[in-house]
Amino acid sequence: MLTRLWKSGKKGQRVQVEVRNAKELEEALEYGAEAILLDNMTPEEVKRSVERIRRVTEGQVERWIPTEASGRHRARKHPRYAETGVDFISVGALTHSAQAADISMRIHAETA
């Protein structure tokens, strides 16, 4: 599956692989993932995963693998995820749980 992703990638774009556990993380690292999304993991699992990824890239200046934690994040838990060393935290609630605002705009043309 992963080898097909690399063949279809466009120049200059990173291939981001979503992983849900340590086994999937190892597979993504084995196939050369360029970015890793850590999905539905606890802060402890994210921390272990980030540490593992950093060990793989240690001493390789040109091989930075951005990490992102996603899935079921709540604002009150963000400090715990931030302390894991992950590069990004996704918050789906910003889009799928936002309340709609009832607004309108009227535009009038000026006459000269």
Side-chain angles (χ1 to χ4, degrees):
M1 177 186 98
L2 291 175
T3 53
R4 283 187 282 142
L5 289 173
W6 268 253
K7 290 179 183 176
S8 65
K10 294 181 181 178
K11 186 178 180 177
Q13 292 181 333
R14 288 182 182 268
V15 175
Q16 183 175 41
V17 179
E18 180 177 310
V19 301
R20 297 167 294 188
N21 55 51
K23 182 179 181 231
E24 291 179 358
L25 174 61
E26 289 303 320
E27 183 179 356
L29 291 170
E30 177 184 343
Y31 285 97
E34 299 167 320
I36 298 180
L37 181 83
L38 306 166
D39 192 38
N40 291 321
M41 292 185 176
T42 65
E44 294 75 23
E45 291 169 323
V46 170
K47 182 177 172 82
R48 283 193 301 271
S49 297
V50 168
E51 288 170 352
R52 174 68 180 119
I53 293 164
R54 300 299 180 247
R55 282 195 305 274
V56 168
T57 60
E58 190 173 26
Q60 300 178 38
V61 177
E62 295 179 10
R63 189 170 181 211
W64 172 56
I65 300 176
T67 56
E68 178 177 344
S70 72
R72 302 185 193 143
H73 294 289
R74 304 274 188 276
R76 69 183 188 283
K77 289 187 178 181
H78 289 332
R80 290 185 61 209
Y81 281 95
E83 293 168 357
T84 66
V86 71
D87 296 306
F88 306 99
I89 301 172
S90 295
V91 183
L94 292 174
T95 55
H96 64 68
S97 297
Q99 293 189 357
D102 186 10
I103 60 173
S104 65
M105 180 186 306
R106 293 178 189 215
I107 301 173
H108 297 280
E110 288 187 21
T111 56

